[in-house]
Amino acid sequence: MRAAPAARGRSRTRRGGRLLAPVAAALLLVPACQGSGDSRKEREPDPASIQWVRVPEEDTSYVFHGLRPLQVTATSTEFLVLGVPYRGTGGLYGSRDGRTWYETGPEAAFVNHVAATADGATLAGNAPNAGTTVPAVWRSTGKGKWGPAEILAGGGPSDEVLGLARGPRGTVVVAHDGGPFGEEQPSDDSYRGESLRLWTAGKGGGFGQPHVVPCPASPKLEPQVSVLADAHGFVVSARCTDTAFASKRVVLTSADGTTWKSRPELFRGELNGAGATGPRGSVLISHPESTGEEPGLYVSTFWSRGGEEAWTAGEPMDVGRLPDRGVTPRKFQSVNGVSAVTGGYIASGRALDALHGQPVGALWTSADGRRWTKAPTGKNLFHEVYDLYGAAELDGTVIALGVGAAPDTSEGSLPDSSEEPAPTRLWIGRYGARPALDRPSGLAPFVGTWNWGHGNIVIDPEGRFTYRWRLYKDCATEPAPCDNGPEWGGKATGKLAPAAGGVLRGRLETTNRPDEEGYRRNTVVELRRAPYSAVWMTVAGRPHGIFCAGGEADARCVASHG
């Protein structure tokens, strides 16, 4: 079992799922780039120069099919994306180039936070221990490799990890002992706590006992937590809402992770959201609590600091320029995540598109954390999603993830469309020039092994293919052709060639089921590419199924269908 965002029976609140709702948790996006000194800063490119290209759905990795992104970050060797997958329990994925992705994360873990710096990454969540699950962390030991679970001292089964940050002075994990949280949780609080719990570890050191701070919370309302670690130490802020709907705001700072100070005056008494730290300093977002007159509406403020410990409020965020999409007053613009990249910062979120009455993705860049310029929405196709959930940079390549509207489920739509999740979109950017995505054509995109629950098709570089499928005949009791263990009895071969419209077309040349409809010799076979690294197969003019490159990791091609 791979890393999962929540243990069985635990509920994770959808983050950013409602237009302009207050940010429920920080996306702590830490860059892979490093640098120092004024001369280096002068040579670094401005993030505003990044040119974005949306990766076509067909070329997007299967790991993003239905993935609801939570965090996007990078070390010096790989991108890391944490999210809630569609019909799955995995959740952490890595990539070196932003195009080819693989599942990563420790076994038997329930991971819901990741924090990365150039020298590695830390995961936080819950791990099995003595018949229950308790807070734990895992540290990277190399690309795609993780150390054993480190059980956090004093943690219990009701401790829900809500924040994680890693910086020059160490790592901090923030949990609340009133979990699990969610609307379906019972109303009784017999097994609930009322406190934030902070575990810290110096760089390379271990975690001690937690620092406990009162912050009563209802089991139906997950506390909003923001965590940041930078050269000055740690900043933890939270809002807890109890069963009587009374709200408490907590802001704590520490230089060493041991001694904590209450700082309620910081950020004008507003709530904190996303934050990031990098070579040029740190950025945090704050916003006021929403009011009864305009619930869910607020104006975000960017706060930044560099060499000085004090925080400075930045200029009002740029709302964009007409006639672009999503140009609207600041109270209708929301930031989900902030990341530090070469030369500055990227903020990602959404804006209400007044003309169409729906939210669209929005992205801002800044060189200093104070002045923020909104990237064009229409030019970059950000309007194809209703939210951008994060960005990260590695060796001059930048990625961003967003989620679009759910497929049409109205009368007359395709069968079973209600089962399809909202599409996740991937962007890749480069400083100063649009990246070339190198889209292969002809046979090349189809070469390889494609699987579904009861069959597979293997295509070689010359277009020759072998198709095998399950016959549901046991060789121990029935004559051949039959299924013999992992080897499926049905077999057909042929050759495919590129045809108009980017498809492959060919015929079955050999078959061991000549009397079975759809498998006779000379039957026409057609393959067409499908979103998220899959292909649609048509035999004798009738749909035959979808085959995936991800094997068992792709839920679309594990369930029985035909």
Side-chain angles (χ1 to χ4, degrees):
M1 181 177 181
R2 290 290 185 178
R8 185 181 298 275
R10 290 175 174 261
S11 171
R12 305 301 307 169
T13 303
R14 181 177 179 89
R15 304 180 186 208
R18 182 170 60 88
L19 174 60
L20 299 171
V23 177
L27 300 184
L28 302 172
L29 309 174
V30 187
C33 54
Q34 291 192 21
S36 60
D38 293 338
S39 60
R40 171 64 184 270
K41 292 178 181 179
E42 292 172 358
R43 296 195 303 269
E44 289 177 341
D46 191 323
S49 71
I50 296 174
Q51 301 292 306
W52 297 94
V53 173
R54 182 180 60 76
V55 178
E57 279 189 285
E58 293 82 2
D59 297 335
T60 303
S61 172
Y62 68 89
V63 306
F64 295 116
H65 176 245
L67 184 76
R68 176 161 59 89
L70 297 178
Q71 294 181 256
V72 185
T73 186
T75 67
S76 62
T77 60
E78 63 183 337
F79 291 107
L80 291 171
V81 170
L82 177 69
V84 180
Y86 175 61
R87 291 180 177 173
T89 57
L92 186 66
Y93 307 97
S95 174
R96 184 65 183 84
D97 58 5
R99 298 294 302 279
T100 302
W101 291 82
Y102 47 86
E103 189 174 359
T104 184
E107 299 286 347
F110 304 98
V111 175
N112 52 25
H113 287 275
V114 56
T117 55
D119 58 351
T122 301
L123 308 176
N126 294 81
N129 185 55
T132 185
T133 59
V134 295
V137 298
W138 297 261
R139 309 189 207 205
S140 60
T141 58
K143 181 181 176 181
K145 299 179 181 178
W146 303 92
E150 300 175 40
I151 304 300
L152 296 177
S158 69
D159 283 308
E160 189 85 350
V161 176
L162 300 174
L164 168 70
R166 171 176 169 144
R169 298 196 179 191
T171 303
V172 60
V173 179
V174 180
H176 193 283
D177 60 0
F181 296 95
E183 292 181 358
E184 75 280 6
Q185 298 301 331
S187 58
D188 71 275
D189 57 358
S190 58
Y191 60 99
R192 301 291 195 261
E194 296 186 335
S195 302
L196 289 173
R197 293 151 71 73
L198 283 60
W199 286 272
T200 55
K203 194 168 185 179
F207 291 86
Q209 293 290 327
H211 177 75
V212 179
V213 181
C215 201
S218 164
K220 295 182 180 296
L221 298 172
E222 180 179 289
Q224 299 177 27
V225 173
S226 172
V227 192
L228 184 126
D230 65 5
H232 299 285
F234 307 96
V235 179
V236 172
S237 28
R239 181 180 71 166
C240 300
T241 305
D242 63 19
T243 54
F245 297 99
S247 177
K248 179 178 181 179
R249 175 179 177 268
V250 173
V251 179
L252 304 168
T253 64
S254 175
D256 57 8
T258 300
T259 303
W260 292 88
K261 298 179 181 178
S262 176
R263 299 290 303 278
E265 77 283 0
L266 289 180
F267 313 111
R268 299 175 185 156
E270 295 183 344
L271 304 175
N272 289 121
T277 185
R280 294 197 170 193
S282 301
V283 170
L284 270 177
I285 305 294
S286 75
H287 58 81
E289 292 195 52
S290 59
T291 64
E293 292 77 17
E294 292 186 303
L297 302 183
Y298 53 83
V299 176
S300 297
T301 300
F302 289 89
W303 298 82
S304 62
R305 69 180 181 184
E308 300 294 327
E309 185 177 358
W311 291 92
T312 301
E315 297 179 2
M317 60 193 298
D318 180 17
V319 299
R321 297 154 194 80
L322 291 172
D324 197 13
R325 302 282 295 270
V327 179
T328 191
R330 293 183 181 93
K331 66 181 181 179
F332 295 111
Q333 311 229 10
S334 174
V335 178
N336 289 322
V338 182
S339 59
V341 297
T342 299
Y345 308 89
I346 293 176
S348 52
R350 57 186 164 178
L352 180 67
D353 188 55
L355 181 62
H356 298 85
Q358 63 186 17
V360 295
L363 186 143
W364 295 264
T365 62
S366 175
D368 57 10
R370 295 180 176 85
R371 294 171 293 276
W372 292 83
T373 301
K374 190 178 181 186
T377 295
K379 172 186 174 182
N380 294 309
L381 305 181
F382 295 146
H383 63 278
E384 293 189 354
V385 296
Y386 65 73
D387 228 333
L388 288 172
Y389 281 88
E393 185 263 341
L394 173 60
D395 294 338
T397 295
V398 191
I399 65 169
L401 282 179
V403 173
D408 179 22
T409 58
S410 61
E411 184 177 354
S413 59
L414 292 175
D416 297 325
S417 62
S418 61
E419 297 297 320
E420 277 297 297
T424 301
R425 308 283 194 178
L426 171 67
W427 279 261
I428 293 183
R430 297 285 296 179
Y431 291 87
R434 289 172 62 87
L437 294 186
D438 185 27
R439 298 196 69 196
S441 59
L443 282 166
F446 295 88
V447 173
T449 300
W450 306 86
N451 299 281
W452 70 292
H454 301 289
N456 67 35
I457 182 168
V458 181
I459 305 171
D460 71 17
E462 284 71 46
R464 301 210 64 85
F465 70 89
T466 299
Y467 174 44
R468 304 204 70 138
W469 66 96
R470 190 183 304 279
L471 296 176
Y472 301 98
K473 294 175 60 179
D474 188 351
C475 291
T477 58
E478 299 186 62
C482 53
D483 303 324
N484 186 12
E487 186 172 319
W488 298 335
K491 182 178 180 180
T493 65
K495 188 172 183 179
L496 298 161
V503 305
L504 295 188
R505 188 173 294 120
R507 294 180 181 274
L508 297 183
E509 297 175 354
T510 69
T511 175
N512 65 356
R513 304 292 288 176
D515 298 327
E516 187 172 337
E517 187 178 5
Y519 297 105
R520 300 187 179 100
R521 284 190 61 188
N522 292 321
T523 298
V524 176
V525 177
E526 184 175 287
L527 294 180
R528 183 183 303 273
R529 298 189 70 196
Y532 306 104
S533 302
V535 295
W536 287 105
M537 184 174 179
T538 302
V539 180
R542 293 186 296 182
H544 197 72
I546 184 173
F547 294 72
C548 302
E552 293 184 359
D554 193 329
R556 293 174 296 175
C557 297
V558 175
S560 176
H561 66 287

